[in-house]
Structure formats: structure tokens, C-alpha cells
Coordinates of all heavy atoms in Angstrom, one line a residue:
M1 N -49.8 101.0 13.9 CA -48.7 101.5 13.1 C -48.0 100.4 12.4 O -47.5 99.4 13.0 CB -47.7 102.3 14.0 CG -46.5 102.7 13.2 SD -45.3 103.7 14.3 CE -46.0 103.9 15.8
T2 N -47.8 100.4 11.1 CA -47.1 99.2 10.4 C -45.6 99.6 10.4 O -45.1 100.7 10.0 CB -47.6 99.3 8.8 OG1 -49.0 99.2 8.9 CG2 -47.0 98.2 8.2
R3 N -44.9 98.5 10.7 CA -43.4 98.5 10.7 C -42.9 98.1 9.2 O -43.4 97.2 8.7 CB -42.8 97.7 11.8 CG -43.1 98.0 13.1 CD -42.7 97.2 14.2 NE -41.3 96.9 14.1 CZ -40.4 97.4 15.0 NH1 -40.8 98.1 16.0 NH2 -39.2 97.2 15.0
V4 N -42.0 98.9 8.8 CA -41.3 98.7 7.5 C -40.1 97.9 7.7 O -39.2 98.4 8.3 CB -41.1 100.1 6.8 CG1 -40.4 99.9 5.4 CG2 -42.3 100.8 6.6
P5 N -39.9 96.7 7.0 CA -38.7 96.0 7.1 C -37.6 96.7 6.3 O -37.8 97.0 5.1 CB -39.1 94.7 6.4 CG -40.6 94.5 6.3 CD -41.0 96.1 6.3
V6 N -36.5 96.9 6.8 CA -35.4 97.6 6.3 C -34.1 96.8 6.3 O -33.8 96.2 7.4 CB -35.0 98.9 7.0 CG1 -33.7 99.6 6.5 CG2 -36.3 99.9 7.0
A7 N -33.4 96.6 5.2 CA -32.1 95.9 5.1 C -31.0 97.0 5.1 O -31.2 97.9 4.3 CB -32.0 95.1 3.8
L8 N -30.2 97.0 6.1 CA -29.2 98.0 6.3 C -27.8 97.6 5.8 O -27.2 96.5 6.1 CB -29.0 98.4 7.7 CG -28.1 99.4 8.1 CD1 -28.4 100.8 7.4 CD2 -28.2 99.6 9.5
Y9 N -27.2 98.2 4.9 CA -25.9 98.1 4.3 C -24.9 99.3 4.6 O -25.2 100.4 4.2 CB -26.0 97.9 2.8 CG -26.8 96.7 2.3 CD1 -28.3 96.9 2.1 CD2 -26.3 95.5 2.0 CE1 -29.0 96.0 1.7 CE2 -27.1 94.6 1.5 CZ -28.5 94.7 1.4 OH -29.2 93.6 1.0
A10 N -24.0 99.2 5.5 CA -23.1 100.2 5.9 C -21.6 99.7 5.6 O -21.2 98.6 6.0 CB -23.4 100.6 7.2
Q11 N -20.8 100.7 5.2 CA -19.4 100.4 5.0 C -18.7 100.2 6.3 O -17.7 99.7 6.4 CB -18.7 101.4 4.1 CG -19.0 101.4 2.6 CD -18.4 102.3 1.8 OE1 -18.1 103.5 2.3 NE2 -18.3 102.1 0.5
D12 N -19.2 101.0 7.2 CA -18.4 101.1 8.5 C -19.2 100.7 9.7 O -20.5 101.1 9.7 CB -18.1 102.6 8.5 CG -17.4 103.1 9.9 OD1 -18.0 103.0 10.8 OD2 -16.2 103.4 9.7
P13 N -18.8 99.9 10.6 CA -19.6 99.4 11.7 C -20.0 100.6 12.6 O -21.2 100.6 13.2 CB -18.6 98.6 12.6 CG -17.3 98.9 12.0 CD -17.5 99.3 10.6
I14 N -19.4 101.8 12.7 CA -19.8 102.8 13.5 C -21.1 103.4 12.8 O -22.1 103.8 13.5 CB -18.8 103.8 13.8 CG1 -17.7 103.2 14.7 CG2 -19.3 105.1 14.4 CD1 -16.4 104.0 14.9
L15 N -21.0 103.7 11.5 CA -22.2 104.3 10.7 C -23.4 103.3 10.9 O -24.5 103.7 11.2 CB -21.8 104.3 9.3 CG -20.8 105.5 8.8 CD1 -20.6 105.3 7.3 CD2 -21.5 106.9 9.1
E16 N -23.1 102.0 10.8 CA -24.2 101.0 11.0 C -24.8 101.2 12.3 O -26.0 101.2 12.4 CB -23.7 99.6 10.7 CG -24.7 98.5 10.8 CD -24.2 97.2 10.4 OE1 -23.1 97.0 9.8 OE2 -24.9 96.2 10.8
A17 N -24.1 101.1 13.4 CA -24.6 101.2 14.7 C -25.3 102.5 14.8 O -26.5 102.5 15.5 CB -23.4 101.1 15.6
G18 N -24.9 103.6 14.3 CA -25.6 104.9 14.5 C -26.9 104.8 13.8 O -28.1 105.3 14.4
V19 N -27.0 104.5 12.6 CA -28.3 104.5 11.8 C -29.2 103.4 12.3 O -30.4 103.7 12.5 CB -27.9 104.1 10.3 CG1 -29.1 103.9 9.6 CG2 -27.0 105.3 9.7
R20 N -28.7 102.2 12.8 CA -29.5 101.2 13.4 C -30.2 101.7 14.7 O -31.4 101.6 14.9 CB -28.7 99.9 13.7 CG -29.6 98.8 14.2 CD -28.7 97.6 14.3 NE -28.0 97.1 13.3 CZ -28.5 96.5 12.2 NH1 -29.7 96.1 12.3 NH2 -27.7 96.1 11.2
S21 N -29.4 102.5 15.5 CA -29.9 103.1 16.6 C -31.0 104.1 16.3 O -32.1 104.2 16.9 CB -28.8 103.8 17.4 OG -29.4 104.6 18.5
Q22 N -30.8 105.0 15.3 CA -31.9 106.0 14.9 C -33.1 105.3 14.4 O -34.3 105.8 14.7 CB -31.2 106.9 14.0 CG -30.3 107.8 14.4 CD -30.8 108.7 15.6 OE1 -31.8 109.3 15.6 NE2 -30.1 108.7 16.7
L23 N -32.9 104.3 13.6 CA -34.2 103.5 13.1 C -34.9 102.9 14.2 O -36.1 102.9 14.1 CB -33.7 102.5 12.1 CG -33.1 103.1 10.7 CD1 -32.6 102.0 9.9 CD2 -34.2 103.9 10.0
R24 N -34.3 102.4 15.2 CA -35.0 101.8 16.3 C -35.8 102.7 17.1 O -36.7 102.5 17.6 CB -33.9 101.0 17.2 CG -33.6 99.7 16.6 CD -32.7 98.9 17.6 NE -32.2 97.8 17.0 CZ -31.0 97.3 17.2 NH1 -30.1 97.8 18.1 NH2 -30.6 96.1 16.7
R25 N -35.2 104.0 17.2 CA -35.9 105.0 17.9 C -37.2 105.4 17.4 O -38.2 105.7 18.1 CB -35.0 106.2 18.1 CG -33.9 106.0 19.1 CD -33.0 107.2 19.1 NE -33.7 108.3 19.6 CZ -33.1 109.5 19.7 NH1 -32.0 109.9 19.2 NH2 -34.0 110.6 20.2
G26 N -37.3 105.3 16.0 CA -38.5 105.6 15.4 C -39.5 104.7 15.5 O -40.8 105.0 15.4
R27 N -39.2 103.5 15.7 CA -40.2 102.3 15.9 C -41.1 102.1 14.8 O -42.2 101.5 14.9 CB -41.0 102.4 17.2 CG -40.1 102.5 18.4 CD -40.8 102.5 19.7 NE -39.8 102.6 20.8 CZ -40.1 103.1 22.0 NH1 -41.3 103.7 22.2 NH2 -39.1 103.0 22.9
R28 N -40.8 102.7 13.6 CA -41.6 102.4 12.4 C -40.8 101.5 11.5 O -41.3 101.3 10.4 CB -41.8 103.8 11.8 CG -42.8 104.7 12.7 CD -43.2 105.9 12.0 NE -44.0 105.6 10.9 CZ -44.9 106.4 10.4 NH1 -44.8 107.6 10.8 NH2 -45.7 106.0 9.4
S29 N -39.7 101.1 11.8 CA -39.0 100.2 11.0 C -38.5 99.0 11.8 O -38.3 99.0 12.9 CB -37.7 101.0 10.3 OG -36.8 101.2 11.3
N30 N -38.3 97.9 11.0 CA -37.7 96.6 11.6 C -36.5 96.5 10.8 O -36.4 96.0 9.6 CB -38.7 95.6 11.3 CG -38.2 94.3 11.9 OD1 -37.2 94.2 12.7 ND2 -38.9 93.1 11.5
C31 N -35.3 96.8 11.4 CA -34.0 96.9 10.7 C -33.3 95.5 10.8 O -33.0 95.0 11.9 CB -33.1 98.0 11.3 SG -31.6 98.2 10.4
S32 N -33.0 94.9 9.7 CA -32.3 93.7 9.6 C -30.9 93.9 9.0 O -30.7 94.9 8.4 CB -33.1 92.5 8.9 OG -33.1 92.9 7.5
N33 N -30.1 93.1 9.1 CA -28.7 93.3 8.5 C -28.6 92.6 7.2 O -28.4 91.2 7.2 CB -27.6 92.8 9.4 CG -26.3 93.4 9.1 OD1 -26.2 94.2 8.3 ND2 -25.2 92.6 9.5
R34 N -28.6 93.2 6.2 CA -28.4 92.6 4.7 C -29.4 91.4 4.5 O -28.9 90.4 3.9 CB -27.0 92.2 4.7 CG -26.0 93.3 4.8 CD -24.6 92.8 4.8 NE -23.7 94.0 5.2 CZ -22.8 94.5 4.4 NH1 -22.4 93.9 3.3 NH2 -22.0 95.5 4.9
R35 N -30.7 91.6 4.7 CA -31.7 90.6 4.3 C -32.6 91.3 3.4 O -33.8 91.4 3.7 CB -32.3 90.0 5.5 CG -31.3 89.2 6.4 CD -32.2 88.3 7.3 NE -31.3 87.6 8.1 CZ -31.1 87.7 9.4 NH1 -31.7 88.7 10.1 NH2 -30.2 86.9 10.1
A36 N -32.2 91.6 2.2 CA -33.0 92.4 1.2 C -34.2 91.6 0.8 O -35.2 92.1 0.3 CB -32.1 92.9 0.0
E37 N -34.0 90.2 0.7 CA -35.2 89.4 0.3 C -36.5 89.5 1.2 O -37.6 89.3 0.8 CB -34.8 87.9 0.3 CG -34.5 87.3 1.6 CD -33.0 87.4 2.1 OE1 -32.3 88.0 1.5 OE2 -32.8 86.9 3.2
R38 N -36.3 90.0 2.4 CA -37.4 90.2 3.4 C -37.8 91.6 3.5 O -38.8 91.9 4.0 CB -37.2 89.6 4.7 CG -36.9 88.1 4.7 CD -36.8 87.7 6.0 NE -36.5 86.2 6.0 CZ -36.0 85.5 7.0 NH1 -35.8 86.1 8.2 NH2 -35.8 84.3 7.0
A39 N -36.9 92.5 3.1 CA -37.0 93.9 3.4 C -37.9 94.6 2.2 O -38.0 94.2 1.1 CB -35.7 94.5 3.3
E40 N -38.5 95.7 2.6 CA -39.2 96.5 1.6 C -38.3 97.7 1.3 O -38.5 98.3 0.2 CB -40.5 97.1 2.3 CG -41.6 96.0 2.5 CD -42.8 96.5 3.2 OE1 -43.0 97.8 3.0 OE2 -43.6 95.9 3.9
V41 N -37.3 98.1 2.0 CA -36.5 99.2 1.8 C -35.1 98.7 2.1 O -34.8 98.0 3.1 CB -36.6 100.3 2.7 CG1 -35.7 101.5 2.6 CG2 -38.2 100.9 2.4
A42 N -34.1 99.0 1.2 CA -32.7 98.8 1.5 C -32.0 100.2 1.7 O -32.2 101.0 0.8 CB -32.1 98.0 0.2
L43 N -31.3 100.4 2.8 CA -30.7 101.6 3.1 C -29.2 101.3 3.1 O -28.6 100.6 3.8 CB -31.2 102.0 4.5 CG -30.6 103.4 4.9 CD1 -30.9 104.5 3.8 CD2 -31.1 103.7 6.2
V44 N -28.5 102.1 2.1 CA -27.2 102.0 1.9 C -26.5 103.2 2.6 O -26.8 104.4 2.2 CB -26.7 102.0 0.4 CG1 -25.2 101.9 0.3 CG2 -27.4 100.7 -0.2
V45 N -25.5 103.1 3.5 CA -25.0 104.1 4.2 C -23.5 104.1 3.9 O -22.7 103.2 4.3 CB -25.2 104.1 5.8 CG1 -24.7 105.2 6.5 CG2 -26.8 103.9 6.0
V46 N -23.0 105.2 3.4 CA -21.6 105.3 3.1 C -21.0 106.8 3.3 O -21.8 107.7 3.3 CB -21.2 104.9 1.5 CG1 -21.5 103.4 1.3 CG2 -22.1 105.8 0.6
D47 N -19.8 106.9 3.4 CA -19.2 108.3 3.5 C -19.3 108.9 2.1 O -19.6 110.0 2.1 CB -17.7 108.1 4.0 CG -17.4 107.9 5.4 OD1 -18.4 108.3 6.2 OD2 -16.6 107.1 5.8
Q48 N -18.9 108.1 1.1 CA -19.1 108.8 -0.2 C -19.3 107.6 -1.2 O -18.9 106.5 -0.9 CB -18.0 109.5 -0.8 CG -16.6 108.8 -0.9 CD -15.4 109.7 -1.2 OE1 -15.3 110.9 -0.9 NE2 -14.5 109.2 -1.9
L49 N -19.9 107.8 -2.2 CA -20.1 106.8 -3.3 C -18.9 106.4 -4.0 O -18.4 107.1 -4.8 CB -21.3 107.2 -4.3 CG -21.8 106.1 -5.2 CD1 -22.5 105.1 -4.3 CD2 -22.8 106.8 -6.2
D50 N -18.5 105.2 -3.7 CA -17.2 104.7 -4.3 C -17.6 103.5 -5.2 O -18.8 103.3 -5.3 CB -16.1 104.3 -3.4 CG -16.6 103.3 -2.3 OD1 -17.7 102.7 -2.5 OD2 -15.8 103.1 -1.3
D51 N -16.6 102.8 -5.8 CA -17.0 101.8 -6.8 C -17.7 100.6 -6.0 O -18.7 100.0 -6.6 CB -15.7 101.2 -7.4 CG -15.1 102.2 -8.5 OD1 -15.9 103.1 -9.0 OD2 -13.9 102.0 -8.8
E52 N -17.3 100.3 -4.8 CA -17.9 99.2 -4.1 C -19.4 99.6 -3.9 O -20.3 98.7 -4.0 CB -17.2 99.0 -2.8 CG -17.7 97.8 -1.9 CD -16.9 97.7 -0.7 OE1 -15.8 98.1 -0.5 OE2 -17.5 97.1 0.3
A53 N -19.6 100.7 -3.3 CA -21.1 101.1 -3.1 C -21.8 101.2 -4.3 O -23.0 100.8 -4.3 CB -21.1 102.5 -2.4
E54 N -21.2 101.6 -5.4 CA -22.0 101.7 -6.6 C -22.4 100.3 -7.1 O -23.4 100.0 -7.6 CB -21.2 102.3 -7.7 CG -21.9 102.4 -9.1 CD -21.0 103.2 -10.2 OE1 -20.1 103.9 -9.9 OE2 -21.4 102.9 -11.4
Q55 N -21.5 99.3 -7.0 CA -21.7 98.0 -7.4 C -22.9 97.5 -6.5 O -23.7 96.7 -7.0 CB -20.5 97.0 -7.2 CG -19.5 97.3 -8.3 CD -18.1 96.6 -7.9 OE1 -18.0 95.8 -7.0 NE2 -17.2 96.8 -8.8
L56 N -23.0 97.6 -5.2 CA -23.9 97.2 -4.3 C -25.4 97.9 -4.8 O -26.3 97.1 -4.9 CB -23.7 97.7 -2.8 CG -24.8 97.5 -1.8 CD1 -25.2 95.9 -1.9 CD2 -24.4 98.0 -0.5
L57 N -25.3 99.2 -5.1 CA -26.7 99.8 -5.7 C -27.1 99.1 -6.8 O -28.3 98.9 -6.9 CB -26.4 101.2 -5.8 CG -26.2 102.2 -4.6 CD1 -25.8 103.5 -5.0 CD2 -27.3 102.2 -3.7
R58 N -26.2 98.8 -7.7 CA -26.6 98.2 -9.0 C -27.2 96.8 -8.7 O -28.1 96.3 -9.4 CB -25.5 98.2 -10.0 CG -25.2 99.7 -10.4 CD -24.1 99.6 -11.6 NE -23.8 101.0 -12.0 CZ -24.5 101.8 -12.7 NH1 -25.7 101.5 -13.1 NH2 -24.0 103.0 -12.9
R59 N -26.5 96.0 -7.9 CA -26.8 94.7 -7.6 C -28.3 94.7 -6.9 O -29.1 93.9 -7.2 CB -25.9 94.0 -6.6 CG -26.1 92.5 -6.4 CD -25.1 91.8 -5.6 NE -25.2 92.2 -4.2 CZ -24.3 92.8 -3.5 NH1 -23.1 93.1 -4.0 NH2 -24.5 93.1 -2.2
L60 N -28.5 95.6 -6.0 CA -29.9 95.8 -5.3 C -30.8 96.1 -6.5 O -32.0 95.5 -6.4 CB -29.8 96.8 -4.2 CG -29.1 96.5 -3.0 CD1 -28.9 97.8 -2.1 CD2 -29.7 95.4 -2.3
Q61 N -30.6 96.8 -7.4 CA -31.6 97.3 -8.4 C -31.9 96.1 -9.2 O -33.0 95.9 -9.6 CB -30.9 98.3 -9.3 CG -31.9 98.9 -10.4 CD -31.2 99.8 -11.4 OE1 -30.0 99.7 -11.6 NE2 -32.0 100.7 -11.9
R62 N -30.9 95.3 -9.6 CA -31.1 94.2 -10.5 C -31.8 93.0 -9.9 O -32.6 92.3 -10.4 CB -29.8 93.6 -11.2 CG -29.2 94.5 -12.2 CD -28.0 93.9 -12.9 NE -27.0 93.2 -11.8 CZ -26.0 93.9 -11.4 NH1 -25.7 95.1 -11.9 NH2 -25.2 93.4 -10.5
S63 N -31.4 92.8 -8.6 CA -31.7 91.4 -8.0 C -32.9 91.4 -7.0 O -33.2 90.5 -6.3 CB -30.5 90.8 -7.4 OG -30.1 91.7 -6.3
S64 N -33.5 92.6 -6.7 CA -34.6 92.7 -5.8 C -35.6 93.7 -6.2 O -35.4 94.5 -7.0 CB -33.9 93.1 -4.4 OG -33.5 94.4 -4.4
T65 N -36.6 93.7 -5.4 CA -37.7 94.7 -5.6 C -37.8 95.8 -4.6 O -38.7 96.5 -4.5 CB -39.1 94.0 -5.7 OG1 -39.4 93.3 -4.5 CG2 -39.0 93.0 -6.9
V66 N -36.9 95.9 -3.9 CA -36.9 96.8 -2.6 C -36.6 98.2 -3.2 O -36.1 98.4 -4.3 CB -35.9 96.5 -1.6 CG1 -36.0 95.1 -0.9 CG2 -34.4 96.6 -2.1
R67 N -37.2 99.2 -2.4 CA -36.9 100.5 -2.7 C -35.6 100.8 -2.1 O -35.2 100.3 -1.0 CB -37.9 101.4 -2.1 CG -39.3 101.2 -2.6 CD -39.6 101.8 -4.0 NE -39.1 103.2 -4.0 CZ -39.5 104.0 -5.0 NH1 -40.3 103.6 -5.8 NH2 -39.2 105.3 -4.9
V68 N -34.7 101.6 -2.7 CA -33.3 101.8 -2.2 C -33.1 103.3 -1.9 O -33.5 104.1 -2.5 CB -32.2 101.4 -3.4 CG1 -30.9 101.7 -2.9 CG2 -32.4 99.9 -3.9
G69 N -32.6 103.4 -0.7 CA -32.2 104.7 -0.2 C -30.7 104.8 0.0 O -30.2 103.8 0.3
L70 N -30.1 106.0 -0.1 CA -28.7 106.2 0.1 C -28.5 107.3 1.1 O -29.0 108.3 0.9 CB -28.1 106.6 -1.3 CG -26.7 106.8 -1.2 CD1 -25.7 105.8 -0.9 CD2 -26.2 107.4 -2.6
M71 N -27.8 107.0 2.0 CA -27.2 108.1 3.0 C -25.7 108.2 2.8 O -25.0 107.3 2.9 CB -27.5 107.7 4.4 CG -29.0 107.7 4.9 SD -29.3 107.2 6.6 CE -28.4 108.5 7.4
T72 N -25.3 109.4 2.4 CA -23.9 109.7 2.2 C -23.4 110.9 2.7 O -24.3 112.0 2.8 CB -23.6 109.6 0.6 OG1 -22.1 109.8 0.5 CG2 -24.4 110.6 -0.1
G73 N -22.2 111.0 3.2 CA -21.8 112.1 4.0 C -21.2 113.2 2.8 O -21.2 114.3 3.1
H74 N -20.9 112.7 1.8 CA -20.4 113.5 0.6 C -21.0 113.0 -0.7 O -20.8 111.9 -1.1 CB -18.9 113.5 0.6 CG -18.2 114.3 -0.3 ND1 -18.2 115.8 -0.2 CD2 -17.5 114.1 -1.6 CE1 -17.6 116.2 -1.3 NE2 -17.2 115.3 -2.2
L75 N -21.5 114.1 -1.4 CA -22.2 113.6 -2.7 C -21.7 114.7 -3.7 O -22.0 115.9 -3.8 CB -23.7 113.6 -2.6 CG -24.5 113.1 -3.9 CD1 -24.1 111.6 -4.2 CD2 -25.9 113.3 -3.8
E76 N -20.9 114.2 -4.7 CA -20.4 115.0 -5.7 C -21.4 115.2 -6.9 O -22.3 114.2 -7.0 CB -19.0 114.6 -6.3 CG -18.0 114.6 -5.4 CD -16.7 113.9 -5.9 OE1 -16.6 113.5 -7.0 OE2 -15.7 113.6 -4.9
N77 N -21.4 116.3 -7.6 CA -22.4 116.4 -8.7 C -22.4 115.4 -9.7 O -23.5 114.9 -10.1 CB -22.0 117.8 -9.4 CG -22.4 118.9 -8.6 OD1 -23.2 119.0 -7.7 ND2 -21.6 120.1 -8.8
N78 N -21.3 114.8 -10.1 CA -21.4 113.8 -11.1 C -21.7 112.3 -10.5 O -22.1 111.6 -11.3 CB -19.9 113.6 -11.7 CG -18.9 113.3 -10.7 OD1 -19.0 113.4 -9.4 ND2 -17.6 112.7 -11.2
V79 N -21.9 112.3 -9.2 CA -22.3 111.1 -8.6 C -23.8 111.0 -8.6 O -24.5 109.9 -8.6 CB -21.6 110.9 -7.2 CG1 -22.2 109.7 -6.4 CG2 -20.1 110.8 -7.3
L80 N -24.5 112.1 -8.5 CA -25.9 112.1 -8.5 C -26.6 111.3 -9.7 O -27.5 110.6 -9.5 CB -26.4 113.6 -8.5 CG -27.8 113.7 -8.3 CD1 -28.3 113.1 -7.1 CD2 -28.3 115.1 -8.3
R81 N -26.0 111.5 -10.9 CA -26.6 110.8 -12.0 C -26.5 109.3 -11.8 O -27.3 108.5 -12.1 CB -25.7 111.2 -13.3 CG -26.2 110.5 -14.6 CD -25.6 111.0 -15.7 NE -25.9 110.2 -16.8 CZ -25.2 110.3 -18.1 NH1 -24.3 111.1 -18.1 NH2 -25.7 109.5 -19.0
T82 N -25.3 108.8 -11.3 CA -25.0 107.4 -11.0 C -26.1 106.9 -10.1 O -26.7 105.7 -10.2 CB -23.7 107.1 -10.4 OG1 -22.7 107.6 -11.4 CG2 -23.4 105.7 -10.2
T83 N -26.4 107.7 -9.0 CA -27.4 107.2 -8.0 C -28.8 106.9 -8.6 O -29.4 106.1 -8.3 CB -27.4 108.0 -6.7 OG1 -27.7 109.4 -7.2 CG2 -26.1 108.1 -6.1
V84 N -29.1 107.9 -9.4 CA -30.5 107.8 -10.1 C -30.5 106.6 -11.1 O -31.5 105.9 -11.1 CB -30.8 109.2 -10.9 CG1 -32.0 108.9 -11.8 CG2 -30.9 110.3 -9.9
E85 N -29.4 106.4 -11.9 CA -29.3 105.2 -12.6 C -29.5 104.0 -11.9 O -29.9 102.9 -12.4 CB -28.0 105.2 -13.6 CG -27.9 106.2 -14.5 CD -26.5 106.3 -15.1 OE1 -25.6 105.7 -14.6 OE2 -26.4 107.1 -16.1
C86 N -29.0 103.9 -10.6 CA -29.1 102.7 -9.8 C -30.5 102.6 -9.1 O -30.6 101.7 -8.4 CB -28.0 102.8 -8.7 SG -26.3 102.6 -9.4
G87 N -31.3 103.4 -9.4 CA -32.7 103.3 -8.9 C -33.0 104.0 -7.5 O -33.9 103.8 -6.9
V88 N -31.9 104.8 -7.0 CA -32.2 105.4 -5.7 C -33.2 106.5 -5.9 O -33.2 107.3 -6.9 CB -30.8 106.0 -5.2 CG1 -31.1 106.8 -4.0 CG2 -29.8 105.0 -5.0
A89 N -34.1 106.4 -5.0 CA -35.3 107.4 -5.2 C -35.0 108.6 -4.3 O -34.5 108.4 -3.1 CB -36.6 106.8 -4.9
A90 N -35.5 109.8 -4.6 CA -35.5 110.9 -3.7 C -36.8 111.0 -3.0 O -37.8 110.7 -3.4 CB -35.2 112.2 -4.4

């Protein structure tokens, strides 16, 4: 089984700990903290997409070749377009 290197970006340390724990349980990922240069996937975890999170998504899109995933607790209709523009894949 090949492990996928994941860079985890979370706004909140509790969100980060929970997602990191779940990723470890699957044993199919190797989760590092904000090391997108070694990662194949960047996972951004936020309560909702705000300006800071949007800037992070755009920076990841411009400066790396990683696939970007977004986990959010609340996603408004007008935000979906922004996430697609930032290269977040479904």
C-alpha cells in the first residue's frame, strides 16, 4: 500500500488534531504539517472559507503542484465558485 504525503493546513488546533488523527487511522497517508513541497496533497481545514483561507488556497495553487482539498463546516453558494477558481478538486 502506497502512502500519500499530505500537507495539513488548519485554522484551529482542535480541527488539526482531529483531522490528523483520522488520517493516521487510515494509514494511507503520511501527514506533515505545512510542508507542501514534499506533499502530493494539501488539505485545508476551516470552519468556513474566509479571506485568509482563500489567500492560502490561491497561494497553494500558484506556488505548488499539489492537489488541494478543502474541508469546511459551512460552504455558502457563492463560495463554491471561489474554491473552484483556487483549484480545489471535487
Side-chain angles (χ1 to χ4, degrees):
M1 175 180 356
T2 303
R3 294 175 59 107
V4 177
V6 176
L8 179 59
Y9 299 83
Q11 286 181 332
D12 177 291
I14 294 172
L15 286 173
E16 181 176 340
V19 170
R20 187 177 304 280
S21 173
Q22 290 299 309
L23 288 173
R24 284 185 184 145
R25 285 180 63 188
R27 297 185 180 150
R28 294 184 68 160
S29 65
N30 182 15
C31 189
S32 65
N33 191 20
R34 300 179 186 232
R35 292 194 178 114
E37 67 274 358
R38 295 183 186 167
E40 292 179 25
V41 174
L43 183 57
V44 178
V45 183
V46 295
D47 286 325
Q48 66 182 31
L49 191 66
D50 57 14
D51 290 339
E52 182 181 341
E54 182 181 340
Q55 289 174 2
L56 172 59
L57 291 173
R58 291 190 188 282
R59 187 175 75 242
L60 288 168
Q61 180 190 32
R62 284 191 312 268
S63 64
S64 69
T65 60
V66 299
R67 298 290 300 203
V68 178
L70 174 66
M71 289 180 64
T72 181
H74 181 72
L75 186 64
E76 297 174 6
N77 289 337
N78 59 343
V79 174
L80 187 56
R81 180 177 176 192
T82 301
T83 61
V84 171
E85 289 173 356
C86 292
V88 174

